[in-house]
Amino acid sequence: MNAFDLSRLRPRIPSPLEPVEDERFTRRGLTLSLKREDLIHPDLPGNKWRKLALNLEAAAGRPVLTFGGAYSNHLRAVAAAGRLLGFPTVGIVRGDELAGRPLNPSLARCAADGMRLVFVDRATYRAKNDPATRAMLLERAPAGAYVVPEGGSNALAVQGCVELGRELAGRADTVAVACGTGGTLAGLAAGLSPGPGAPPAGGGGRALGVPVLKGGFLGGEVRALQDAAFGGPRGDWALDERFHCGGYARVPPALDAFARDFEARHGLAIERLYVAKMLLGLTTLAEEGAFPAGTRLVAVVTGAPDTPRQDGGAQPAVSSR
């Protein structure tokens, strides 16, 4: 069986769609359901599976080099895929100051899964798409390595996320998803649409992106990803930039309190860096009256809270530049 045959991992596709009763929505005549992407696979959950599947098929068992920060879910997913499918992985990690420190739980998991961690200074990391810098970084990987971008978002990732939208087409009017690099939103919107470039009146659902980073750059990234994946815009989508809560990895007390309340209401553990911000945004919009009565809302649960593995794993393979 080929290394890139993901079917042997038995993903739970389509992922479950679970209705929840929440008076903040029901009193306004809205329905809320959770698209449980976190249940697709224990090591490759949610949008990580969707974004990696076609990329891993393209890599066809070759080594994979990719990029991320010290707490990158994407790095962990690529490392897990390498362990499960038997190909080498290299992670270029932002911040050379981390090389001399003990690995945090996220990077330790990557290393235990066999990923070689290469720490680079922030200037080099910012220049990672420069051809000369990219060539230098590829020297740290085995020959013939396949490159997956930061966050996993490229044309293949967007095409992989189209299926998420197709699973919800006709079952939702607005689908909310947390956004880091924009790939999931770009594919989701395309899958919800009844046809290329169809307007909202065409009967498709609308995709709502909730960025978890501040900066206001994501709209251009989503448009560029759709251009690369489809040759032009697809579907109906929008962004609400208000719910980053101070920026990536920022979890202020008010956000944590909101997540704890949601957990108590619905018995579901909520991941804080992405999912909690998306749920906060969707709930706030509902309370603001942004959706007409009768709207079917879906919240995409793109991942679960971290639960470190207890199986030990390999000795960390760490290097710096």
Side-chain angles (χ1 to χ4, degrees), residues 236-291:
D236 180 27
W237 59 271
L239 296 170
D240 194 315
E241 307 267 1
R242 295 180 291 161
F243 303 103
H244 54 71
C245 298
Y248 182 69
R250 300 291 179 86
V251 184
L255 177 64
D256 187 58
F258 168 83
R260 289 180 183 275
D261 175 71
F262 198 94
E263 290 170 335
R265 289 171 184 259
H266 303 298
L268 172 68
I270 299 299
E271 187 274 329
R272 298 301 198 259
L273 304 188
Y274 289 86
V275 178
K277 294 179 179 181
M278 177 273 299
L279 289 170
L280 174 64
L282 194 59
T283 304
T284 301
L285 285 165
E287 292 177 332
E288 291 174 348
F291 308 111

Side-chain angles (χ1 to χ4, degrees), residues 180-195:
T181 52
T184 304
L185 177 64
L188 168 65
L192 287 170
S193 173

Side-chain angles (χ1 to χ4, degrees), residues 144-221:
Y146 179 89
V147 177
V148 177
E150 181 179 32
S153 288
N154 59 10
L156 287 177
V158 172
Q159 292 164 10
C161 290
V162 169
E163 193 60 30
L164 168 60
R166 288 176 177 160
E167 290 174 16
L168 293 169
R171 306 178 71 183
D173 301 306
T174 296
V175 181
V177 65
C179 300
T181 52
T184 304
L185 177 64
L188 168 65
L192 287 170
S193 173
R206 188 183 205 203
L208 172 65
V210 179
V212 302
L213 297 86
K214 59 183 177 180
F217 61 89
L218 201 59
E221 294 293 320

